[in-house]
Amino acid sequence: MSISTDNEKTGMQEASDAVAITLRKMREYAKPGISTKQLDDYGRELLEQMGAKSAPYLTYKFPGYTCISVNNVVAHGIPSEEVILQEGDLVNIDVSAELNGYWADNGGSFVLGEDIHGHGKLVEASKEILKKAISNIKGGVRISEIGKLIETEAKKAGYTVIKNLTGHGVGRSLHEEPHEIANYCDKYNTTRFKKNSVVAIETFISTKSTIAETQGDGWTLLGNKGGFVAQHEHTIMVTGGEPVIFTAQNGIWD
């Protein structure tokens, strides 16, 4: 969507606060020994308390209220009683929701407890690359240039990017124009970021894989070459200078 009134900006901020606060509190709630279903139920309660509705459940009938991906799962992890969180797990929580007709999206990967498996470097790389990408977005900048920046920074850090998972427009629905804000330089994409537009920018930084493949359940995504992936995502408004980060309350950069 494109924001043209103060009411629209307020609506986007309120929806973004709901998903950001939910993500932050879910991250704080996560601990070894609980199931991803328990964590998802907590996320559902938080969203409901703020009057928000889970976007993946509302839009796609996803079998959960948030996506929780653990270790080698790249994205779209289905919350389950059988997946028990362990010390040192690489966990990704992606929270998107609708509130009063506005939609916002955010996510973040983190190491649960002590970093006994050495995932911390990957997580930090993803965070820093997202920060650098967002700081370079303003009206008129080519989307492909931001993709190039993300991939270049990932390579510098010794990583690859997942090429078939992308950021996207958001606001009046979960996925809007521009539909693909890729993590690499798509030379065929000549689209530019538009001032006052709302977009969800996300990194998919990988240790080995370049493609996420859908598994038999129709949702779970695994890397084509294995390894691990860290993702971080903010909903922002593009301006003529520094973007407005609507989901800042998620604390992924704290």
Side-chain angles (χ1 to χ4, degrees), residues 132-205:
K132 188 163 187 176
I134 287 176
S135 71
N136 280 273
I137 293 173
K138 60 183 177 181
V141 171
R142 281 195 183 218
I143 286 175
S144 61
E145 283 301 306
I146 297 303
K148 181 179 180 181
L149 184 156
I150 292 170
E151 185 174 31
T152 299
E153 291 298 315
K155 284 181 177 178
K156 280 184 193 173
Y159 300 117
T160 57
V161 296
I162 299 295
K163 294 190 173 185
N164 64 329
L165 294 176
T166 69
H168 51 89
V170 68
R172 287 300 191 177
S173 61
L174 182 57
H175 291 100
E176 299 178 346
E177 292 283 353
H179 287 294
E180 292 193 357
I181 303 172
N183 281 227
Y184 68 99
C185 183
D186 179 359
K187 63 183 180 181
Y188 299 106
N189 186 352
T190 59
T191 311
R192 297 176 185 269
F193 286 101
K194 295 178 181 177
K195 189 177 176 183
N196 298 325
S197 67
V198 181
V199 291
I201 305 297
E202 50 190 320
T203 54
F204 288 95
I205 310 303

Side-chain angles (χ1 to χ4, degrees), residues 39 48 99 122 126 131 136 138 167 185 200 243 245:
L39 184 56
E48 288 177 352
L99 178 64
L122 175 65
S126 177
K131 185 180 288 186
N136 280 273
K138 60 183 177 181
C185 183
I245 301 174

Side-chain angles (χ1 to χ4, degrees), residues 21-41:
I21 290 166
T22 298
L23 176 59
R24 188 184 76 236
K25 289 187 174 181
M26 287 179 72
R27 192 171 61 239
E28 293 166 353
Y29 183 82
K31 59 183 178 291
I34 72 168
S35 70
T36 55
K37 175 69 164 57
Q38 286 174 273
L39 184 56
D40 183 60
D41 285 342

Side-chain angles (χ1 to χ4, degrees), residues 48-66:
E48 288 177 352
Q49 286 168 12
M50 291 181 276
K53 298 176 182 176
S54 161
Y57 182 80
L58 198 60
T59 306
Y60 303 114
K61 292 296 182 221
F62 178 75
Y65 295 88
T66 66

